[in-house]
């Protein structure tokens, strides 16, 4: 497993982390035993960063992580990035110092810590990024010792650039993958210059880039890949990276062919998608989710894949330009 510095936190983390949305809710049912197995497989594979949020299973994901870290004696060895802000209606006036304190206190209890390693605003309304009062309140959380560092999780490139200009923002989390290239060209250079870490989420476009789906694939009723395809519950970009499912399946088939041609033998499409991402200059860590031990092991192994090279990079760009750019690039 390769490692990098997580922006202004100064922490060294694995280039492949673990996203734990699926351990809380919105991906169908995952038992606590299975969740603990996934966490263990990730750590055994070299993962040293977990990403969670206070609304994943209404705190279930945070609680399972806290239990796991205690059970395995891993406090201080694994960085936990959580998120806050989605417990109330998404209105700028709800992003107050009082609510921040309540939300972080709840996350501290869930995780069993005095100080949160990293807390991120959880895709708030766009106006929040321009509020001095919001960032003053976040600074106060750091000064009080409730959090060690703070960052933001964003939906758009413009939101990321606004946040990067803030002097104490340690990290920006953004959707970036082979089907969402705009952040590579606009966010990563700005983040590198400012010393801000970039956490790449939805790296497999909700599983599309694994190459395992076809147009007949179905998902559970309580899986966001069923109920949020048109953005009914939250930003549609969080589901299949905003790609129409049929278009995404076709693009994923081309991506799988690219992997067969240019990636090392035995590397799966999912592993190639993850490795290609962390090899982009400016990406601090990539946070694929996993619902099984096998998935967690495979994702972690992507952190040791050698550089995929120029031909692979050109192929990714070609697929994006031909099939996805027109629909995806202007929106986020």
């Amino acid at each position: 497993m390769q490692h990098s510095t997580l922006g202004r936190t100064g922490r060294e983390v694995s280039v492949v982390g673990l996203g734990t949305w699926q351990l809380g809710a919105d991906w169908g049912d995952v038992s606590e035993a299975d969740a603990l197995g996934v966490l263990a497989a990730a750590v055994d594979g070299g993962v040293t960063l977990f990403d969670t949020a206070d609304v994943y299973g209404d705190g279930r994901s945070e609680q399972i992580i806290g239990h796991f870290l205690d059970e395995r004696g891993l406090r201080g060895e694994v960085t936990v990035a959580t998120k806050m802000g989605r417990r109330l209606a998404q209105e700028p006036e709800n992003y107050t110092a009082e609510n921040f304190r309540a939300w972080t206190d709840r996350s501290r209890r869930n995780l069993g810590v005095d100080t949160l390693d990293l807390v991120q605003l959880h895709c708030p309304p766009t106006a929040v990024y321009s509020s001095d009062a919001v960032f003053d309140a976040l600074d106060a959380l750091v000064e009080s010792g409730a959090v060690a560092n703070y960052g933001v999780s964003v939906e758009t490139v413009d939101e990321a650039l606004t946040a990067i200009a803030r002097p104490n923002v340690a990290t920006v989390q953004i959707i970036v993958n082979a089907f969402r290239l705009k952040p590579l060209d606009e966010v990563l250079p700005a983040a590198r210059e400012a010393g801000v870490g970039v956490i790449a989420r939805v790296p497999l476009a909700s599983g599309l880039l694994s190459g395992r789906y076809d147009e007949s694939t179905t998902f559970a009723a309580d899986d966001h890949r069923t109920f949020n395809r048109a953005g009914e519950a939250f930003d549609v970009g969080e589901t299949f990276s905003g790609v129409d499912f049929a278009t995404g399946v076709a693009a994923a088939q081309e991506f799988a062919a690219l992997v067969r041609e240019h990636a090392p033998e035995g590397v799966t499409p999912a592993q190639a998608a993850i490795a290609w991402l962390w090899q982009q200059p400016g990406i601090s860590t990539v946070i694929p989710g996993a619902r099984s031990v096998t998935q967690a092991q495979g994702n972690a192994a992507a952190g040791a894949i050698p550089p995929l090279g120029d031909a692979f990079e050109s192929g990714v760009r070609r697929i994006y330009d031909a099939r996805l750019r027109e629909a995806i690039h202007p929106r986020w």
Side-chain angles (χ1 to χ4, degrees):
M1 176 70 74
Q2 298 297 305
H3 294 81
S4 70
T5 301
L6 186 60
R8 291 170 175 160
T9 72
R11 292 171 175 260
E12 292 296 308
V13 299
S14 54
V15 294
V16 179
L18 177 70
T20 64
W21 182 9
Q22 75 286 353
L23 305 188
D26 293 330
W27 292 77
D29 182 56
V30 177
S31 71
E32 183 167 349
D34 286 346
L36 292 170
V38 165
L39 296 174
V43 167
D44 291 344
V47 167
T48 63
L49 180 136
F50 295 157
D51 180 83
T52 185
D54 59 357
V55 291
Y56 292 171
D58 196 27
R60 180 175 186 256
S61 178
E62 289 180 327
Q63 292 165 3
I64 289 173
I65 288 170
H67 174 64
F68 170 78
L69 295 178
D70 284 337
E71 187 179 69
R72 290 284 295 261
L74 292 172
R75 294 290 186 186
E77 297 183 32
V78 175
T79 295
V80 179
T82 193
K83 297 185 282 295
M84 66 176 181
R86 309 294 292 191
R87 303 192 65 77
L88 292 176
Q90 290 305 288
E91 300 169 357
E93 53 266 33
N94 285 331
Y95 283 76
T96 65
E98 182 180 8
N99 285 335
F100 287 176
R101 188 69 202 206
W103 294 334
T104 53
D105 284 351
R106 185 176 185 273
S107 289
R108 290 160 66 203
R109 291 192 297 270
N110 285 342
L111 287 163
V113 296
D114 293 327
T115 303
L116 298 172
D117 297 334
L118 174 67
V119 66
Q120 304 156 94
L121 298 183
H122 198 170
C123 299
T126 299
V128 168
Y129 299 100
S130 299
S131 169
D132 291 342
V134 164
F135 290 92
D136 288 345
L138 291 169
D139 287 336
L141 287 176
V142 174
E143 292 167 5
S144 73
V147 306
N149 302 277
Y150 65 81
V152 296
S153 183
V154 305
E155 296 288 4
T156 70
V157 162
D158 287 345
E159 290 172 347
L161 295 174
T162 300
I164 286 168
R166 293 279 174 177
N168 296 323
V169 167
T171 60
V172 167
Q173 182 177 141
I174 191 168
I175 296 174
V176 55
N177 56 52
F179 292 172
R180 181 79 77 86
L181 299 189
K182 190 175 181 179
L184 298 184
D185 300 330
E186 300 191 22
V187 175
L188 267 58
R192 291 198 306 271
E193 184 175 353
V196 171
V198 175
I199 300 173
R201 77 174 185 278
V202 198
L204 301 180
S206 305
L208 275 175
L209 283 162
S210 71
R212 294 184 292 107
Y213 304 158
D214 60 33
E215 289 189 39
S216 66
T217 302
T218 59
F219 305 92
D222 59 350
D223 188 313
H224 75 102
R225 293 171 292 185
T226 295
F227 67 74
N228 193 56
R229 290 198 185 187
E232 297 94 331
F234 39 80
D235 189 278
V236 69
E238 300 286 346
T239 301
F240 300 128
S241 197
V243 177
D244 171 77
F245 185 65
T247 300
V249 167
Q253 291 170 348
E254 287 193 31
F255 181 82
L258 180 70
V259 173
R260 289 192 295 270
E261 184 176 0
H262 292 294
E265 186 176 354
V267 171
T268 68
Q271 290 173 323
I274 294 167
W276 170 79
L277 257 184
W278 71 253
Q279 291 169 13
Q280 299 296 319
I283 296 285
S284 303
T285 189
V286 181
I287 52 169
R291 295 184 60 189
S292 70
V293 166
T294 300
Q295 286 179 337
Q297 291 170 333
N299 292 346
I305 292 173
L308 292 169
D310 292 341
F312 193 92
E313 177 75 21
S314 296
V316 170
R317 297 271 179 177
R318 183 181 66 252
I319 294 167
Y320 181 77
D321 288 344
R323 291 192 175 270
L324 306 166
R325 175 181 287 272
E326 184 176 355
I328 298 300
H329 214 78
R331 294 192 64 181
W332 291 282

